[in-house]
């Protein structure tokens, strides 16, 4: 699909333009064999509310960042290796349309396109790039992915004990294993999740009890109590949550008022015809605007299955 663009001047110019827009807040993106396949704005479901983010699809990585000045300046660059990426379509409902999960081993979240056509284009091109990359490398698709975080607004009470009411004093926390919104008391322990971090991470009590009995051969780390003692098994509940470590929830631009630009994809567009028969894209929908709120029922359902690989999590992000 993109081989003919590898050494083209147009591709070199496009990648240089992306690097320029990120400036010192990003890393160099030009390298031998890399092609910019497409670019556009998607609505990313963040911890507190949906945010517009600029996405760039390359033939080996997916890059996104905060919009500072539309088409001119971006910051907080994130790079996701496509070898780790898995997509899953989300069925439309009254609150959400044209959405899908983007999952990796370290970070997973939900994005929404402006129309069903744009959703199909994005998913088809990303899936094609992933398939081509895996075929060339001989690697197998990644099976274990980070949980999608439930948005703060979807939980007014702790999803574990169902008692603690969240306030300015009683803060929300996220289980790094299942993504549920829980209180400090129900997430005072931490566990090593090797695919996400080299350090033990906050987990809810339910996940902690389950993970203790999972063999380490399955890719789950050890109970920190076994390596660091009882004191190493407790979190400092007064410290700030790490959910906003990298992808700031602060607005850096106000894209409102600008007309919507359709995403641009470069190279052979024949991949779109194959998308209609793809099992990944299961629920194309009519064109609508991006969502504004989530579903508490779906959030509670996601927590009840405790991060099963087949579970459909609520629309949140560890951003």
């Amino acid at each position: 699909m993109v081989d003919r663009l590898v050494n083209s001047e147009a591709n070199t110019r496009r990648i240089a333009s992306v690097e320029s827009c990120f400036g010192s807040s990003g890393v160099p993106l030009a390298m031998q064999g890399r092609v910019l396949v497409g670019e556009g704005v998607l609505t990313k479901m963040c911890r507190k509310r949906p945010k517009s983010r600029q996405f760039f699809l390359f033939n080996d990585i997916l890059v996104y960042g905060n919009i500072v000045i539309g088409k001119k300046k971006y910051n907080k660059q994130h790079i996701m290796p496509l070898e780790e990426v898995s997509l899953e379509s989300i069925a439309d409902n009254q609150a959400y349309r044209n959405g899908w999960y983007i999952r990796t081993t370290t970070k997973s979240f939900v994005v929404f396109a402006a129309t069903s056509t744009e959703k199909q284009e994005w998913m088809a091109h990303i899936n094609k790039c992933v398939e081509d990359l895996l075929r060339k490398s001989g690697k197998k698709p990644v099976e274990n992915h980070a949980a999608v975080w439930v948005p703060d607004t979807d939980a007014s009470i702790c999803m574990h004990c169902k008692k603690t009411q969240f306030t300015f004093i009683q803060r929300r926390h996220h289980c790094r294993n299942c993504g549920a919104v829980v209180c400090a008391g129900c997430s005072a322990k931490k566990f090593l999740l090797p695919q996400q971090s080299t350090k033990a991470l906050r987990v809810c009590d339910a996940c902690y009890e389950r993970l203790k009995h999972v063999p380490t051969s399955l890719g789950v780390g050890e109970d920190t109590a076994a390596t660091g003692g009882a004191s190493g098994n407790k979190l400092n509940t007064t410290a700030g949550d790490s959910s906003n470590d990298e992808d700031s929830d602060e607005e850096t631009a106000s894209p409102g008022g600008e007309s919507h630009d359709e995403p641009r994809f470069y190279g052979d567009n024949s991949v779109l015809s194959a998308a209609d028969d793809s099992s990944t894209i299961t629920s194309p929908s009519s064109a609508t605007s991006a969502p504004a709120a989530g579903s508490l029922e779906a959030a509670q359902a996601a927590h009840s299955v405790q991060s099963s690989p087949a579970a459909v999590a609520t629309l949140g992000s560890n951003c």
Side-chain angles (χ1 to χ4, degrees), residues 25-42:
S25 67
V27 300
L29 297 171
M31 64 177 293
Q32 182 64 35
R34 177 168 289 168
V35 174
L36 178 60
V37 178
E39 58 183 293
V41 176
L42 294 172

Side-chain angles (χ1 to χ4, degrees), residues 260-280:
H260 171 70
D261 290 325
E262 294 183 357
R264 290 181 291 174
F265 296 99
Y266 312 109
D268 183 6
N269 289 330
S270 60
V271 62
L272 297 180
S273 61
D276 296 334
D277 300 323
S278 172
S279 60
T280 305

Side-chain angles (χ1 to χ4, degrees), residues 33-139:
R34 177 168 289 168
V35 174
L36 178 60
V37 178
E39 58 183 293
V41 176
L42 294 172
T43 298
K44 179 176 178 289
M45 182 62 78
C46 293
R47 175 177 177 175
K48 294 183 179 179
R49 58 187 182 277
K51 302 291 182 63
S52 294
R53 297 289 186 255
Q54 182 73 28
F55 280 77
F56 299 94
L57 173 62
F58 294 83
N59 58 340
D60 62 333
I61 57 175
L62 182 64
V63 178
Y64 71 92
N66 293 13
I67 302 171
V68 180
I69 302 175
K71 303 180 183 179
K72 295 182 179 179
K73 186 177 181 180
Y74 314 113
N75 65 10
K76 301 188 181 301
Q77 183 187 79
H78 294 262
I79 299 178
M80 310 172 75
L82 284 183
E83 290 180 341
E84 299 179 2
V85 170
S86 174
L87 306 184
E88 181 184 349
S89 181
I90 299 173
D92 293 344
N93 57 39
Q94 293 182 349
Y96 297 98
R97 291 185 182 277
N98 311 320
W100 68 96
Y101 296 105
I102 298 179
R103 304 181 193 271
T104 72
T105 56
T106 58
K107 188 178 184 71
S108 300
F109 51 85
V110 172
V111 293
F112 300 91
T115 69
S116 61
T117 298
E118 291 183 18
K119 171 185 174 178
Q120 292 182 37
E121 288 178 335
W122 273 108
M123 293 189 70
H125 281 92
I126 294 174
N127 279 326
K128 184 63 166 62
C129 287
V130 172
E131 292 169 4
D132 290 346
L133 195 60
L134 292 176
R135 185 179 67 254
K136 292 177 181 178
S137 67
K139 295 182 180 180

